[in-house]
Amino acid sequence: MKRSRFGSLDVTSIGLGTAPLGGLFAPVSDTDAEATIERAWSLGVRLFDTAPLYGFGLAERRLGGFLRQKPRESYVISTKVGRLLRSPAGVAGEDDHYKGTSRERPVFDFSHDGVMRSVEESLIRLGLDRVDILLVHDPDDHYDDAVAGAFRALRRLRDEGTVKAIGAGMNQSEMLVRFAEAAPVDCFLLAGRYTLLDQGALDALFPVCRARNIGILLGGIYNSGILADPRAGAKFNYEDADAALVARALELDELCHKHGTELKAAAFQFCMAHPAVTVALTGARTPAEVSDNIAMSELTVPPVFWQELRARNLVDARAPLPGGV
């Protein structure tokens, strides 16, 4: 598998995202979770991304249970800060997104001390002595606290050598630009904002990251599912996609079929064609999904597809396409 670098880290250019293994939208058994991580490992994936939010600790526990069996220097692991898991005083109803979880629920805390507690608790769940990458997670409504508290803690951990890279993970690009200017970050995880359906990262984030040598871990390349299975009721940004988005996805799917290729392959390879993108993070809940994701990164997408995509103005004219189209 191809490898990339950001900061002092050498990583595989494809990573496994573990939100699905935390029961995103549907529960996943321990057996399926372990088999999914095993398949990713067997296919050469050595970058693994997780977070306390994913299944409210479940994804971290499952991922750590697998990685503890591997030599620590043989992989890179990323987790996130900004949410502490706490048991609510009353009855905890089923979450809207994560299924089959414990009764613990996330509580935002972007303070310095809250971040230090979050890291300690993540290491306990993972059963590891360290992680490589720490990301401030979804600080959309907490910019000031993140800059004054969370990033101060992350800089301290990086300076001490406890972690190798720091940054933020968000579903928007605008605040990431502000963080790039306010904090000495190494990387960002951008979810769902550079895809065949959304190229908002082209406006400011990608130019800033290239100028400052900030790595981009790109998640949500299928936009929560609509670019994997375009249909009414498909998910976009974790919610039901509206009719206009479904129509655009179906048009892209029709164009792929016209040229004998797959929409998932086009979506994957479009994302990786931009020089700002360091890693593609793909989520999976079964071994078959892992295998399919890797295959989509390698499936032939003919140049004529990209040419027609450009001619029909189906993507931003500034977006580089595979093969230099």
Side-chain angles (χ1 to χ4, degrees):
M1 183 173 292
K2 293 180 180 178
R3 302 188 74 89
S4 303
R5 290 193 66 88
F6 58 86
S8 63
L9 288 171
D10 177 73
V11 298
T12 51
S13 60
I14 297 176
L16 180 69
T18 60
L21 301 183
L24 181 62
F25 301 134
V28 175
S29 70
D30 289 340
T31 299
D32 285 346
E34 182 176 7
T36 299
I37 304 169
E38 172 62 47
R39 179 64 58 82
W41 185 275
S42 72
L43 292 174
V45 173
R46 295 294 184 271
L47 172 62
F48 300 88
D49 176 73
T50 190
L53 174 65
Y54 303 159
F56 312 144
L58 183 59
E60 285 186 319
R61 286 190 288 271
R62 286 171 163 172
L63 181 61
F66 178 87
L67 292 179
R68 287 196 300 272
Q69 306 169 54
K70 305 298 182 183
R72 183 60 189 85
E73 298 302 325
S74 64
Y75 60 86
V76 171
I77 182 172
S78 166
T79 194
K80 304 181 184 74
V81 299
R83 289 178 174 91
L84 296 171
L85 300 179
R86 297 294 182 260
S87 296
V91 176
E94 185 172 60
D95 184 75
D96 289 340
H97 293 113
Y98 289 97
K99 310 302 179 183
T101 68
S102 71
R103 68 185 306 273
E104 288 186 314
R105 293 294 181 267
V107 178
F108 282 121
D109 189 336
F110 293 94
S111 69
H112 175 281
D113 292 349
V115 164
M116 299 303 283
R117 284 194 298 272
S118 178
V119 174
E120 182 178 336
E121 292 171 8
S122 284
L123 291 177
I124 291 172
R125 287 189 291 269
L126 289 163
L128 300 173
D129 62 355
R130 71 184 191 280
V131 295
D132 302 291
I133 305 168
L134 279 177
L135 302 171
V136 181
H137 199 190
D138 295 337
D140 302 73
D141 300 319
H142 306 272
Y143 176 83
D144 291 337
D145 288 342
V147 171
F151 277 111
R152 183 164 59 91
L154 265 53
R155 287 197 301 271
R156 170 185 165 186
L157 292 168
R158 186 181 59 187
D159 291 345
E160 293 172 349
T162 304
V163 300
K164 296 180 180 179
I166 62 172
M170 303 187 72
N171 295 291
Q172 58 151 299
S173 62
E174 294 81 6
M175 190 173 287
L176 293 181
V177 174
R178 296 175 65 191
F179 286 137
E181 297 167 344
V185 298
D186 303 292
C187 60
F188 290 130
L189 196 171
L190 177 67
R193 291 300 171 267
Y194 189 68
T195 71
L196 282 174
L197 290 175
D198 187 331
Q199 293 104 54
L202 289 170
D203 294 331
L205 181 63
F206 282 4
V208 166
C209 288
R210 294 203 72 196
R212 296 174 182 257
N213 200 28
I214 297 170
I216 293 288
L217 289 72
L218 199 64
I221 61 177
Y222 301 143
N223 278 131
S224 300
I226 190 171
L227 288 173
D229 183 16
R231 56 180 173 77
K235 298 293 184 183
F236 175 86
N237 198 28
Y238 311 107
E239 305 294 342
D240 289 345
D242 64 32
L245 282 169
V246 172
R248 281 189 60 203
L250 288 170
E251 183 179 3
L252 290 165
D253 191 42
E254 181 182 359
L255 183 61
C256 287
H257 288 162
K258 174 183 176 181
H259 294 293
T261 193
E262 297 288 335
L263 179 57
K264 288 188 288 186
F268 202 119
Q269 294 174 39
F270 169 78
C271 293
M272 293 304 294
H274 198 288
V277 176
T278 311
V279 173
L281 287 173
T282 59
R285 64 180 63 246
T286 66
E289 288 184 4
V290 174
S291 298
D292 185 61
N293 287 334
I294 302 295
M296 291 301 104
S297 73
E298 301 170 346
L299 186 72
T300 298
V301 180
V304 66
F305 167 82
W306 301 115
Q307 292 164 2
E308 186 166 352
L309 188 78
R310 179 77 82 202
R312 290 167 60 172
N313 295 316
L314 290 175
V315 294
D316 192 302
R318 298 167 295 171
L321 298 180
V325 174

